[in-house]
Each structure stands twice: as C-alpha cells, then as structure tokens.
Amino acid sequence: MSAVRLLVLGVMRLRQPTYGYAVRRELLSWRAETWTNVKPGSIYHALKQLTQEGKLSAFGTEGSTEGPGRTLFELTEAGEAEFRRLMDEALVSVDMEELGAGIAFMDALPRAHVIEKLHEQRRNAAAVRDDLLAMVPKFPGRYEPPHATDLLELWSGVFDNLSHWTGGVLERLEAGEYRMSD
C-alpha cells in the first residue's frame, strides 16, 4: 500500500474538483513531508497513475495567469472504492506512514468501522511485539554484536508504544470524540 496514493486520493476527495498543485499545497500545509515520504514528484506520479487506472478523471481546465491552464480532477466511483480499500489497509497497518495516512482521513469513515479497524491494528501491533520478544532466546547474548537482544527489545518497545497509542485513539473514538462520516 502506498501512503502517498492514499494521501492523494484523500485530498482529492476533500477538495474535488481540484488540480495537482492544490493537492501538493494541501499536503504541505499539513507538513505531511515530516511524517511520510511524500514528495512533489510522488504526488504528480500518483495523480498520473490514478488517472490512467480510472480512479481519477479529468474534470476540466482552470485558467491561470501564471502559465498554462490547470487540469482539474475528481474521483470516479473506482477512485472512491480505492480510497476505502486503502483506508481499511492503512487503519490496520503497523507501518507508521500507512497508519498516519489512515488516521489523517479517519473521519471520512463511520465511527464503528474505524473502531473495528483500530482494534485490529492494536492486535497486530501487540502480535508483532510478542513475536519480537519471543525471538530473544534464539539470538546471541546482549553483549555481542549485533546486540540482538537490545535490538529486539527496542523494536518490541516501539510496537508496545504503538499499541498503547492506538488504545488512546480508541478511547477517544468510543467516547464520541472526533466528527466522523456518520
């Protein structure tokens, strides 16, 4: 799954019809480059690819005093389906970029659906943590390179923290915080 693809579809969904530079500007205003690998080139590549796949369609052209007209895009039905599919993948992911993109647009989905997906994500994070800790006895000692015990404890701590963080988001969602699609 590509976090960039989800981010582009999500912004298009929020602002449609819109053009590539406006998507880029929106993501820059979110400082998305600090929590994802989104780059200007990857935004335009995603727009082109999504259009070729029929997930976006050219809506028209908007005039510009600063150069050629800008092509406006909007989501197609296939684009909406792709957005939903990517959201479901992102909300259960233990990959920070993917999960971050899903969290950015979680209000586009019904509350109960997001809660269900985040419970799954929390179980996934806990399972990765437990698997990492179970590997400790299978590796050389703590005091010899590559210091695998320390590495496994570091990584398991990251997933433990992710599980706790997800629990906080779930508590807020279950308490009725956040405005959701329903």
Side-chain angles (χ1 to χ4, degrees), residues 12-14 38 90 111 119 148 162 178:
M12 288 297 303
R13 192 173 182 274
L14 285 173
V38 69
R111 183 177 307 277
H119 275 293
L162 175 58
Y178 305 101

Side-chain angles (χ1 to χ4, degrees), residues 64-77:
S64 173
T65 59
E66 300 172 10
R70 301 174 187 148
T71 302
L72 295 167
F73 296 95
E74 63 183 358
L75 260 70
T76 63
E77 284 186 36

